[in-house]
Amino acid sequence: MNLFKYALAFVSAGLALSANAADSALISKGEYLTRAADCVACHVVPGGKPFAGGLGFKLPFGTLYSPNITPDKETGIGNWTDDEFVSALQKGVGKDGKHYYPAFPYTSYTLMPREDILAIKAYLFSLAPVQQKPQENDLSFPFNQRWGMFFWNLVFNSNERFAPDAKQSAEWNRGAYLVEGPGHCGECHSPRNIFQAVSTSHSLAGNLLGNWQAYNISSDAKHGIGAWPNEALVSYMAQGYAPGYGGAGGPMADVVEHSLQYLEPADLNAIAVYLKTTKARAEGVSRPAIAINTASMDASNGLGKKIFSDACAACHRLDGTGNQSTIATLAGLKAVNDPAGTNLIATLLSGHNLTRSAPDQKMPDFARGYNDVELAAVSTFVLRRFGQSEPLVKPADVAKSRESALH
């Protein structure tokens, strides 16, 4: 009789261990997919608790605030069923039939299969609940009528899962799934139409986000990433920079910080493989030649030249090759070839401070140390020195970027 009890206890313990291992594996998978989907970027406010929501999104018709997605039962998703959670990500319709707006990228998440979505739910439910009720949305009529999203979904949400292309490799299909599904790259890197849906005819062609430009990441060699070696793309995603090709700033730096750097090298390479086969879009800012415009040194821009020599040349050098670190390389970057200077100005205002970057890979912000006239002057100097046009950045352009950065 005792032997039977011992055997039963042994079997029960084995089943419990097996169940715990299965739960642990599911949560681990969910954590990886949550990072791939960069959920925390939208569901946290500066200085706030991860996934507790409250981040505001300013749209042409008002402001949306992200919800709390911790397992708190009063203010979060602690009472959500599996079906409700899956419906939210695939259909944009959550608990109690509540329709979401396309600021929540469910039109991309809809490509994710149920098992991947439930893995994300398992991870979120493994976290400590945070009691935090987000601010109510502030939308003008008729956009504050959520029922109208029913008709929007009929037109713009496919509600279909990702289907691998049998003609492509497993690596290509993995990259396609990550880019188009959980990674939702096109949500930021594509313009939107008048209905605030991603423009399929200009997919990955670039888009303005606040005071930052999300650049063209299509396969176009001049305007996109078609000429980037795979290793440069992988370096950019994993570390936030690829010398001579690009450096992540603003929202893209956040993506690297919270999402891309945690992906497996094989997945990053798969993303690169897929992006280099996307439809080429000859739109947006082009990548300049590496050669610098030496004539700009003699241009009538004494203030900009002086500021660059005093505050910038120690790290970036007058030839743009970078002094202390290759991340300081300016030559060949899109940011110095944009006549509007959008990302250059934004970088000067906010700096470059990825948390895990080495000290010689960080850049201080100049928002407080220099006024709009000074930053406009140095921006003009940099664009003329390292770009391929003769732009003129005005103090009003810097002031506008400062204002956009506050919202």
Side-chain angles (χ1 to χ4, degrees):
M1 190 68 175
N2 288 336
L3 286 176
F4 176 77
K5 289 182 178 179
Y6 289 141
L8 183 61
F10 180 79
V11 171
S12 297
L15 290 174
L17 287 173
S18 178
N20 288 337
D23 289 344
S24 178
L26 182 65
I27 291 171
S28 179
K29 176 184 178 181
E31 181 180 15
Y32 188 83
L33 287 169
T34 300
R35 290 195 184 280
D38 200 15
C39 301
V40 74
C42 292
H43 292 275
V44 67
V45 295
K49 294 184 178 180
F51 305 108
L55 187 65
F57 295 84
K58 285 194 173 292
L59 303 172
F61 41 82
T63 303
L64 292 171
Y65 294 91
S66 61
N68 181 339
I69 57 171
T70 73
D72 182 69
K73 292 186 177 182
E74 293 182 17
T75 63
I77 59 171
N79 287 321
W80 284 46
T81 67
D82 287 353
D83 287 344
E84 288 168 340
F85 191 78
V86 171
S87 175
L89 271 70
Q90 290 182 346
K91 301 177 182 179
V93 182
K95 191 174 181 62
D96 300 324
K98 182 178 181 180
H99 282 79
Y100 290 102
Y101 295 97
F104 172 46
Y106 62 86
T107 53
S108 292
Y109 293 160
T110 191
L111 295 177
M112 300 175 67
R114 182 182 178 88
E115 56 267 28
D116 281 4
I117 293 174
L118 291 182
I120 290 176
K121 180 174 181 284
Y123 170 67
L124 292 175
F125 271 60
S126 74
L127 303 176
V130 178
Q131 189 171 53
Q132 177 177 301
K133 186 176 181 179
Q135 186 173 338
E136 291 293 329
N137 294 331
D138 180 18
L139 302 177
S140 60
F141 184 85
F143 303 102
N144 58 355
Q145 304 299 303
R146 288 181 179 269
W147 59 266
M149 291 305 301
F150 171 83
F151 301 100
W152 190 95
N153 286 335
L154 289 177
V155 179
F156 297 112
N157 185 29
S158 66
N159 191 21
E160 295 177 352
R161 276 14 98 210
F162 176 78
D165 186 341
K167 298 180 181 179
Q168 300 288 349
S169 67
E171 181 179 49
W172 184 95
N173 278 296
R174 177 63 174 173
Y177 172 68
L178 289 170
V179 169
E180 305 293 346
H184 62 280
C185 304
E187 300 279 348
C188 288
H189 287 274
S190 305
R192 293 181 180 265
N193 60 29
I194 59 173
F195 301 103
Q196 292 301 300
V198 172
S199 174
T200 56
S201 60
H202 298 275
S203 58
L204 305 181
N207 187 35
L208 184 66
L209 301 172
N211 65 332
W212 289 91
Q213 181 71 37
Y215 289 132
N216 183 329
I217 56 170
S218 76
S219 65
D220 187 80
K222 185 176 181 181
H223 298 85
I225 48 80
W228 288 43
N230 278 22
E231 55 268 26
L233 283 168
V234 171
S235 173
Y236 181 89
M237 291 185 282
Q239 303 179 72
Y241 68 93
Y245 291 93
M252 192 62 209
D254 288 341
V255 175
V256 173
E257 183 92 358
H258 301 297
S259 175
L260 292 174
Q261 69 167 322
Y262 294 99
L263 299 192
E264 296 291 340
D267 277 347
L268 294 179
N269 196 67
I271 290 173
V273 167
Y274 172 71
L275 285 177
K276 294 186 71 173
T277 67
T278 57
K279 184 174 180 59
R281 307 289 188 188
E283 304 173 38
V285 180
S286 63
R287 181 169 174 260
I290 299 297
I292 63 174
N293 180 10
T294 55
S296 68
M297 291 297 293
D298 301 320
S300 56
N301 186 16
L303 178 60
K305 177 181 176 181
K306 182 181 185 305
I307 294 173
F308 186 88
S309 298
D310 292 346
C312 310
C315 291
H316 297 290
R317 299 176 61 93
L318 286 173
D319 62 1
T321 56
N323 190 27
Q324 297 177 329
S325 170
T326 53
I327 195 175
T329 301
L330 294 177
L333 303 185
K334 283 187 176 183
V336 301
N337 200 47
D338 177 6
T342 304
N343 287 6
L344 173 61
I345 297 170
T347 302
L348 288 171
L349 291 172
S350 65
H352 185 274
N353 293 289
L354 287 172
T355 303
R356 297 179 65 177
S357 295
D360 65 352
Q361 296 175 354
K362 296 180 183 292
M363 173 180 161
D365 70 83
F366 295 96
R368 291 162 293 182
Y370 292 86
N371 60 36
D372 295 349
V373 173
E374 292 167 327
L375 291 180
V378 73
S379 296
T380 298
F381 174 79
V382 170
L383 294 173
R384 293 184 178 185
R385 172 85 171 154
F386 301 106
Q388 296 171 321
S389 61
E390 290 293 318
L392 176 62
V393 177
K394 300 177 182 178
D397 299 326
V398 180
K400 182 178 179 181
S401 185
R402 282 187 195 268
E403 179 67 18
S404 297
L406 297 176
H407 297 94

